[in-house]
Amino acid sequence: QVQLVESGGGLVQPGGSLRLSCLASGTFFSRNVMGWYRQTPGRQRELVATIISGGSTNYADSVKGRFTISRDNAKNTVYLQMNSLKPEDTAVYYCKAYSGGVDYWGKGTLVTVSS
């Protein structure tokens, strides 16, 4: 079982930056995938970025060049550095872990980009 707790969301002006954190606890397989997803009302949850245990990353086209996903395996934490934020980045951001064939989700953290 894996538990995920996100933090770091909040209100930021367009062009600003935020860093989200996801602290994972529980039993992880050595090979796993961590990711960030986001969702706005009335829309499906969408991929933002993923990072595998070996460090390879993948990004949605809409965030490439602006967002950076990273992980600190010693701290069981995944980060999402978000720069040059736009109003359309406003969403609830969820952390996801894939381990042992099972998806685990956090409860989400709200990011609001507005002036």
Side-chain angles (χ1 to χ4, degrees):
Q1 194 76 3
V2 175
Q3 295 80 41
L4 304 171
V5 178
E6 303 98 334
S7 61
L11 173 64
V12 63
Q13 292 187 342
S17 298
L18 278 177
R19 189 175 81 155
L20 305 182
S21 299
C22 173
L23 175 62
S25 60
T27 302
F28 269 99
F29 284 82
S30 58
R31 293 181 61 84
N32 57 76
V33 182
M34 303 292 294
W36 288 96
Y37 292 71
R38 65 187 182 187
Q39 188 171 23
T40 54
R43 300 186 66 178
Q44 286 189 330
R45 196 170 295 185
E46 64 176 8
L47 168 74
V48 176
T50 60
I51 183 167
I52 66 173
S53 48
S56 295
T57 59
N58 180 54
Y59 296 92
D61 288 342
S62 59
V63 306
K64 282 181 180 177
R66 300 188 298 123
F67 291 10
T68 302
I69 189 170
S70 61
R71 61 191 292 167
D72 185 333
N73 292 330
K75 295 182 178 179
N76 288 335
T77 302
V78 177
Y79 304 98
L80 185 69
Q81 178 66 43
M82 305 186 293
N83 299 327
S84 302
L85 282 160
K86 305 175 181 180
E88 52 264 42
D89 294 317
T90 295
V92 177
Y93 284 71
Y94 296 91
C95 180
K96 175 186 159 182
Y98 175 79
S99 176
V102 179
D103 286 335
Y104 301 91
W105 291 92
K107 293 184 177 180
T109 185
L110 176 63
V111 172
T112 303
V113 185
S114 175
S115 54

